[in-house]
Amino acid sequence: MKREEFQTQIKFPLLLDGATGSNLMAAGMPRGVCTEIWVRDHKDVFLRLQKAYIEAGSQVIYAPTFGGNRISLSMHGLENEIEALNKTLVSYSLEAADDKVLVAGDLTTTGKMMAPAGELSYEQAFEVYQEQIHYLAEAGVDLLAVETMISIEETLAALDAALSVCDLPVMCSMTIESDGSLFTGGNIFEAALALESAGASAVGINCSVGPEQLVAIIRTLYETVSIPVIAKPNAGMPVIDDLGQAVYNMTPQDFALHMKTLVDMGASIVGGCCGTTPEFIRRMAEIL
C-alpha cells in the first residue's frame, strides 16, 4: 500500500491487534530475554496469537519486529542478525495474515536518549531506523507502525527514515502522561502536528494509560490534526502484585465500551496494548 492510498482505500474505523508481549509472557516467554529471538524460536506460539487476533476482528497485525533495530539488538549481541531477524519475523506475520489482513512492520525507540539530553544524534537515529525499515520493506510489510515513542525528535527521525526508504504509510504513536505530556518534554498535540507536517499517515497514542483516561486527549487530537487518530491504550491502569508483575483488571467488555467512546471522540484507528488479549479485540469489533 502506498501512502496516498491509505486514507482512500482504508475503511475506518480500522481495527488493530492487541498486546503481544504480555500474551507471550503468559504463554511462557521469560522476562529479560530478547523477544525477537524468542518469537523466532517459538513460531507456533506466535502464530496462534496472531491468528486469534485475526479471528477476533483485527484488520492489521503488527509483525514482532518491535526491538529489531541495531541499537536494541546490540544489547543482546545480535547486531549482525538484523536482516535475518526482521525478514523472518515479518514472514511469520505474513503467514498468519494469509492475505486477509494488513501486516505492519513494527518499530520503537532505540532506548537511547536523544541529544542534547543524551548521546544519540538525529543522524545516528535516522541511520538506525533507515536500516531496519529497509529490511521491513523488503520483507513485504503493508505499512509501518512507529509506536511507544517517548521523544518527538526520535519519532521524527524514524518517520524521516521511513520516507527516505519507501512509499509505505507510516502510523506514529507515542506514549504519554495522563495529561497528554510527553516523558521527554512537550505534549502529544505539538508532536502530532509536527508528525503530520513531516508526512505521517496517522498519529496518536499507544500504551500509556487506559482508554477511560484518553477521552479529552483523543477529542483534542482529532480537532488538532487532519489525518487519522490512533488509540491503542492499555487494559486500564495496572496493579503490581506480590511478584512484581503488572496485573490489568479491566474486562474486555469495559475496554470495548471505553473504546467506543474514543471512536465517538474521533479515534479512527483503534486497538489494544498491554494487558489486552484477542477477547478484547473481539468485544471491540462487536461494539464498533
Side-chain angles (χ1 to χ4, degrees):
M1 177 180 293
K2 294 184 178 180
R3 283 195 297 276
E4 62 268 20
E5 298 170 341
F6 185 72
Q7 293 191 45
T8 59
Q9 294 191 8
I10 296 294
K11 182 180 178 181
F12 297 103
L14 180 67
L15 269 63
L16 307 175
D17 58 13
T20 296
S22 56
N23 286 291
L24 293 179
M25 285 189 283
M29 184 178 75
R31 290 182 177 275
V33 302
C34 175
T35 302
E36 289 71 30
I37 289 294
W38 194 90
V39 171
R40 183 198 65 184
D41 297 340
H42 297 81
K43 178 181 178 180
D44 56 335
V45 175
F46 180 71
L47 286 183
R48 280 198 297 272
L49 176 62
Q50 292 220 301
K51 289 179 179 179
Y53 278 130
I54 295 168
E55 194 275 331
S58 294
Q59 297 162 298
V60 181
I61 54 174
Y62 284 26
T65 53
F66 186 73
N69 64 74
R70 176 171 293 275
I71 291 176
S72 295
L73 290 177
S74 68
M75 298 177 69
H76 300 278
L78 297 168
E79 59 269 27
N80 294 324
E81 296 191 42
I82 296 172
E83 179 177 7
L85 269 177
N86 278 279
K87 290 185 175 180
T88 296
L89 297 176
V90 168
S91 75
Y92 290 2
S93 289
L94 290 173
E95 180 178 336
D98 193 27
D99 293 325
K100 297 173 184 175
V101 301
L102 300 174
V103 172
D106 195 20
L107 306 96
T108 194
T109 175
T110 61
K112 301 292 184 181
M113 291 294 292
M114 294 283 290
E119 298 181 354
L120 183 66
S121 69
Y122 168 88
E123 291 76 17
Q124 290 170 321
F126 180 91
E127 291 177 1
V128 166
Y129 287 118
Q130 192 177 53
E131 178 182 36
Q132 185 184 9
I133 292 166
H134 174 75
Y135 296 136
L136 293 174
E138 282 193 340
V141 298
D142 299 297
L143 67 161
L144 298 167
V146 181
E147 64 160 337
T148 325
M149 302 298 285
I150 63 173
S151 159
I152 180 56
E153 291 81 10
E154 191 177 18
T155 313
L156 284 168
L159 175 58
D160 291 344
L163 301 183
S164 77
V165 170
C166 61
D167 196 28
L168 295 173
V170 186
M171 303 189 301
C172 297
S173 59
M174 305 188 72
T175 184
I176 63 169
E177 301 278 12
S178 58
D179 63 355
S181 61
L182 302 177
F183 296 102
T184 55
N187 60 65
I188 187 61
F189 313 113
E190 298 166 345
L193 279 172
L195 291 165
E196 178 181 20
S197 178
S201 298
V203 293
I205 297 159
N206 79 286
C207 203
S208 307
V209 295
E212 75 281 13
Q213 296 178 276
L214 291 177
V215 176
I217 291 172
I218 291 298
R219 181 176 62 243
T220 304
L221 267 179
Y222 175 73
E223 295 169 350
T224 301
V225 297
S226 59
I227 54 178
V229 173
I230 305 162
K232 201 175 193 284
N234 295 337
M237 295 298 288
V239 175
I240 306 302
D241 66 13
D242 294 338
L243 299 176
Q245 298 176 334
V247 178
Y248 295 87
N249 293 318
M250 184 173 282
T251 68
Q253 182 68 14
D254 286 344
F255 182 85
L257 289 170
H258 286 300
M259 292 304 293
K260 174 63 166 62
T261 299
L262 295 187
V263 170
D264 292 341
M265 291 298 103
S268 54
I269 303 177
V270 292
C273 207
C274 302
T276 61
T277 68
E279 185 60 24
F280 282 71
I281 303 302
R282 184 186 313 281
R283 292 301 180 103
M284 190 167 62
E286 292 171 353
I287 287 178
L288 297 180

